[in-house]
Amino acid sequence: MSFNTQFLATVLTVGCVTPLGAYTLGTGYQSSVLASTVTAYDYTQFEGISKSGDTLYVGNFRSVKQYNLSSGTYSDYGTVPGNNGISHVTYAGGKVYASGFTSYSAPYPYTMYTVGAGDNTSSVLTMGGIFDAAVSPTGQFYFVANPDVNADDEGDGSRLYRMDLTNNSLTEIAYLGGASGGIAFDQSGNLFYAHYDNGVIYSFSASDLLVGSLELSDATPELLLANAGYIDFDADGNLVASHLDTDTYETTISRYDVASGELIDDIFTGTVGGFLCDGDTIYVNSQSWDFMGDYGSELLALSQVPEPSAYALVFAALAGIALLHRRRRG
């Protein structure tokens, strides 16, 4: 293969899909596999995802893995003792926080840990229904849980908490009700909450969050979306949300214009163990439940396929590189 043909082949295969066969991409999207538990046949799933610098952190059964985007290195980071699945992984204040489901007995508690490299893991708190956590633009740590307040072995409605990372003390910010759902901050520090039971994504203003003692009546309904799960914002400020189809039990990640509430596009459909928007890239924990051999998970990087005009620029650049190469050899 000649230099220019080999280089062209390399460029055009970057980001090509290597699927589990259990998901579909939206029109105009491409994906690449960063890490996989399928090929290792360890029968585990990726759950929860966060990012600091060039490093992604993802939950994986009883551990947290790390993936360095610069070097392409995938490795163990730390362990999460005795859990049966991770609901979120969140990087905050220089530490990795992860909550794991710890008991099949009511009220089905989760334990939140700080996870350090190797076995340097410490318990922070135990509470029912911890689902998601997020860090505000000013560095404050919030999470959603469904605690058993009246000690009857059942959750008594979801609540939003702010945790002081210096001493792990909690402040209840809002009573939300229902099952706990996903949270995310926009660039202005307003907190968005996906209320699964109501089928609505709400927002609380940054100023109201500081005051606390909030109810859903203090929130603004932003989007009607049945069975919403995790949420985030893309580089353009569009709301990205996962939502479950209860007929097919598949989850779709879609993008919405916040101002109008209009659907922009569907990005991914499959089984999702969390996702993260980072610039123009969306990182997705894609899960497979095929017990015939594909039970496992893939960490995917999704991006939009370049427009034809962009391809023209790529081909022009390749032609120039090939011409320069021939002149140097001539």
Side-chain angles (χ1 to χ4, degrees):
M1 182 181 292
S2 66
F3 166 80
N4 54 316
T5 305
Q6 184 178 25
F7 189 74
L8 176 62
T10 300
V11 170
L12 294 182
T13 54
V14 170
C16 286
V17 180
T18 309
L20 280 168
Y23 67 83
T24 56
L25 298 178
T27 302
Y29 285 89
Q30 60 188 357
S31 100
S32 58
V33 179
L34 304 183
S36 172
T37 71
V38 180
T39 53
Y41 296 103
D42 61 8
Y43 302 101
T44 62
Q45 304 280 7
F46 291 135
E47 299 171 305
I49 183 169
S50 191
K51 182 176 181 289
S52 174
D54 289 334
T55 302
L56 293 172
Y57 298 94
V58 294
N60 183 222
F61 189 46
R62 293 179 177 171
S63 67
V64 171
K65 307 290 187 181
Q66 58 185 346
Y67 182 87
N68 187 284
L69 294 165
S70 297
S71 65
T73 304
Y74 170 69
S75 60
D76 293 329
Y77 179 70
T79 59
V80 182
N83 80 85
N84 300 284
I86 293 173
S87 59
H88 77 90
V89 175
T90 308
Y91 188 91
K95 297 180 181 179
V96 175
Y97 290 79
S99 294
F101 175 49
T102 54
S103 174
Y104 287 102
S105 299
Y108 312 107
Y110 284 70
T111 297
M112 183 185 295
Y113 304 92
T114 57
V115 183
D119 293 326
N120 186 20
T121 297
S122 300
S123 173
V124 176
L125 59 88
T126 297
M127 187 180 291
I130 299 176
F131 183 80
D132 200 11
V135 180
S136 74
T138 58
Q140 295 178 310
F141 183 90
Y142 289 78
F143 72 94
V144 178
N146 187 1
D148 179 14
V149 176
N150 61 10
D152 64 352
D153 288 339
E154 293 184 2
D156 295 308
S158 294
R159 290 161 165 80
L160 174 68
Y161 295 93
R162 182 171 60 236
M163 185 169 74
D164 186 333
L165 297 180
T166 62
N167 58 17
N168 298 336
S169 62
L170 299 182
T171 301
E172 183 176 321
I173 300 301
Y175 175 76
L176 306 167
S180 48
I183 58 175
F185 285 93
D186 66 10
Q187 293 180 348
S188 299
N190 305 308
L191 183 141
F192 283 64
Y193 176 68
H195 200 298
Y196 184 91
D197 291 31
N198 289 4
V200 179
I201 295 179
Y202 297 92
S203 70
F204 291 98
S205 70
S207 57
D208 283 347
L209 289 177
L210 294 178
V211 176
S213 301
L214 303 174
E215 305 278 345
L216 272 184
S217 58
D218 299 307
T220 301
E222 298 284 356
L223 179 69
L224 297 177
L225 186 63
N227 310 320
Y230 294 102
I231 57 177
D232 203 353
F233 288 89
D234 69 8
D236 297 320
N238 299 306
L239 178 65
V240 181
S242 66
H243 49 101
L244 176 68
D245 185 326
T246 54
D247 292 327
T248 64
Y249 290 99
E250 287 189 317
T251 295
T252 297
I253 300 174
S254 304
R255 189 165 52 140
Y256 300 88
D257 178 81
V258 177
S260 67
E262 294 295 321
L263 172 69
I264 298 174
D265 56 8
D266 293 327
I267 299 169
F268 174 97
T269 298
T271 303
V272 177
F275 72 90
L276 169 70
C277 296
D278 182 51
D280 295 325
T281 303
I282 301 176
Y283 299 102
V284 178
N285 291 331
S286 173
Q287 300 177 340
S288 172
W289 299 93
D290 180 1
F291 287 92
M292 298 303 293
D294 284 339
Y295 179 90
S297 196
E298 288 178 337
L299 174 59
L300 304 177
L302 309 185
S303 60
Q304 291 183 302
V305 178
E307 295 293 332
S309 58
Y311 277 120
L313 293 175
V314 171
F315 280 109
L318 292 175
I321 292 172
L323 179 61
L324 177 62
H325 180 74
R326 286 197 296 269
R327 285 177 175 174
R328 286 178 173 174
R329 294 183 62 184

